[in-house]
Amino acid sequence: MNKDIRNISKERMHELWRAISMLETPEECESFFVDLCTVAELDEMAKRLEVAKCIDAGMSYGDAAEKTGASTATISRVKRSLYYGNGGYRTALDALKKAGKLSNEGMDTEK
């Protein structure tokens, strides 16, 4: 069964977005997401953000896959979302950069 966000209750999703946007600290976010998601879901979301950082830094698919452990299908989907999606990855990456909170560990694309 293919899940599509357009098939989820708008009211339910808006309530989720509102709840997330009301959280004020990384610790509050951690508590909420640890309660909300499985460890595997959290790992996958964190991995996708790391893939977005890699792609944004100009890493190849192969290097991004090696660094993150993500499949090339996941890397392709993240890249498509980063460049042609709703702007969520770009907004998050730019906000982290602006706040000086974006870790560039292992992002050296020079070989």
Side-chain angles (χ1 to χ4, degrees):
M1 180 173 175
N2 188 11
K3 297 262 182 177
D4 188 314
I5 196 163
R6 293 172 293 196
N7 296 330
I8 300 173
S9 161
K10 284 184 181 186
E11 183 178 326
R12 186 181 300 159
M13 291 308 301
H14 284 190
E15 187 168 38
L16 176 62
W17 307 145
R18 280 191 299 276
I20 293 168
S21 71
M22 301 295 279
L23 301 172
E24 295 183 8
T25 67
E27 293 78 19
E28 287 179 353
C29 290
E30 179 181 0
S31 293
F32 180 70
F33 279 97
V34 166
D35 286 348
L36 181 68
C37 301
T38 66
V39 171
E41 290 166 336
L42 290 169
D43 183 52
E44 191 60 32
M45 287 188 283
K47 186 183 296 182
R48 288 178 182 194
L49 180 60
E50 188 175 14
V51 167
K53 287 173 26 183
C54 292
I55 296 300
D56 196 44
M59 264 190 201
S60 70
Y61 275 42
D63 288 343
E66 184 177 325
K67 177 172 180 7
T68 66
S71 69
T72 55
T74 294
I75 295 168
S76 178
R77 184 179 190 290
V78 170
K79 182 177 182 179
R80 185 173 54 250
S81 294
L82 179 62
Y83 293 120
Y84 307 109
N86 291 311
Y89 282 119
R90 175 57 48 215
T91 299
L93 291 174
D94 289 351
L96 288 168
K97 285 178 191 174
K98 184 177 178 181
K101 304 287 185 184
L102 187 66
S103 167
N104 291 320
E105 181 182 322
M107 292 294 153
D108 183 14
T109 57
E110 299 292 321
K111 292 232 172 178

